[in-house]
Amino acid sequence: MTRFFLIAIFIIDLEHQIIPDELVFLGLFVFAIYSIQYTIYPVFLAGFISASLLLFLNLFTRGRGMGLGDVKLAILLGAIAGLKLFLIWLFFSFLSGAVIGII
């Protein structure tokens, strides 16, 4: 279900270079409802840690590398990845961003 939110966010970001808060937080809400059957704290902890790392990077670079929309999106993507995979997700995100940036 959250893939529809991710596809919509991708298309809007590609065309307008903005990540709508409504889609990110609605996707997070839908994911939370979907994952209520599991322990929900580790899920949101991964999202919080991912967003905190990107927020620190945003503040350190003064917003030149990425915007705050990416920080908000990291909450959703970190929650989807979970505690076991969020570092791998962040690594491949930076790697693919570097490859696209070089091209």
Side-chain angles (χ1 to χ4, degrees), residues 42-88:
V43 168
F44 285 112
L45 181 63
F48 175 75
I49 293 171
S50 299
S52 297
L53 290 172
L54 291 184
L55 179 64
F56 174 74
L57 184 64
N58 183 308
L59 293 174
F60 184 73
T61 62
R62 297 183 187 155
R64 288 187 296 247
M66 67 183 68
L68 289 176
D70 298 315
V71 175
K72 290 180 277 190
L73 183 61
I75 299 170
L76 175 61
L77 294 176
I80 291 172
L83 273 176
K84 293 181 181 178
L85 298 176
F86 84 94
L87 284 176
I88 295 170

Side-chain angles (χ1 to χ4, degrees), residues 19-56:
I19 298 175
D21 296 343
E22 296 85 9
L23 285 178
V24 172
F25 293 125
L26 187 61
L28 190 61
F29 176 74
V30 168
F31 182 73
I33 296 299
Y34 174 74
S35 64
I36 200 78
Q37 61 195 355
Y38 307 111
T39 306
I40 203 157
Y41 295 114
V43 168
F44 285 112
L45 181 63
F48 175 75
I49 293 171
S50 299
S52 297
L53 290 172
L54 291 184
L55 179 64
F56 174 74

